Amino acid sequence: MTSATAVRVVAERVARLPSDLRVAAVGEPTARAARAAGWVVDLVPSESSGAALAHAMPDTSGTVLFPRSDLAAPTVVDTLRARGIDVDDVVAYRTVGTGDEPVVLDSPPAAVLVTSGSIAREIARRMTPLDPRTVVACIGPGTAAEARAAGLPVHAVARTRSAEALLDAVVESLNPTAPNRKAPK
């Protein structure tokens, strides 16, 4: 699983996972969602990325089910198939925009949180130009690269791919003299 949304979608459609099915999660937030759904999580790579997940997965003679967003990068599927692993690549949910009109706010936001490449593209499409004082904070280096490719400045990148780390990065960026709230997990 590469997102909590994929976990939710599968859990809504499958009452119980087969007892011999092994679950891999891209990072701790996704693993927490899987555990909350009642699943045993067998693998969480040390680095939270699709590439790390694909490389950490053990070889198998069975088929790997990969439920994903329609916008997901092909990294996991391509890497597993290159390793000779059969993958059932399933679009489990679709990401949709919220409109085409520019987003106009009464005052500029102090920060904009970017949690995916699709969010970065929507911000660039509907909210630019951003006020130069607005901090653009990204949930990880891959998302930061996609934000830059979309033309956004990146002021902060979370230490780990989690909402908690993203919020810590925003706090540190907005108040650089404040002590760290907590160590990254």
Side-chain angles (χ1 to χ4, degrees):
M1 298 286 169
T2 58
S3 74
T5 302
V7 169
R8 181 182 50 78
V9 168
V10 171
E12 287 173 354
R13 287 164 176 74
V14 178
R16 193 168 50 110
L17 296 180
S19 60
D20 62 340
L21 186 75
R22 300 193 63 183
V23 175
V26 72
E28 278 306 320
T30 303
R32 279 194 300 272
R35 291 181 191 110
W39 304 348
V40 174
V41 177
D42 300 291
L43 173 67
V44 180
S46 58
E47 178 189 327
S48 296
S49 73
L53 178 66
H55 289 295
M57 288 187 60
D59 289 333
T60 180
S61 58
T63 300
V64 171
L65 173 64
F66 183 60
R68 64 174 178 84
S69 158
D70 62 324
L71 300 179
T75 307
V76 173
V77 172
D78 291 351
T79 302
L80 292 176
R81 286 182 175 155
R83 291 179 48 202
I85 297 173
D86 184 37
V87 180
D88 192 357
D89 181 17
V90 176
V91 173
Y93 62 97
R94 299 197 184 286
T95 304
V96 296
T98 58
D100 292 321
E101 301 78 30
V103 174
V104 180
L105 304 171
D106 291 336
S107 60
V112 174
L113 308 182
V114 183
T115 56
S116 69
S118 61
I119 297 285
R121 290 184 292 279
E122 283 295 301
I123 291 168
R125 188 173 71 82
R126 298 191 55 211
M127 293 183 73
T128 56
L130 289 171
D131 186 281
R133 297 169 293 180
T134 298
V135 169
V136 176
C138 298
I139 199 161
T143 301
E146 292 190 60
R148 288 183 188 102
L152 297 175
V154 174
H155 303 98
V157 179
R159 287 189 187 99
T160 60
R161 283 190 57 88
S162 70
E164 296 89 351
L166 179 58
L167 292 176
D168 286 344
V170 169
V171 168
E172 290 170 16
S173 185
L174 291 174
N175 190 0
T177 60
N180 286 346
R181 294 179 336 134
K182 63 182 179 180
K185 293 181 182 179

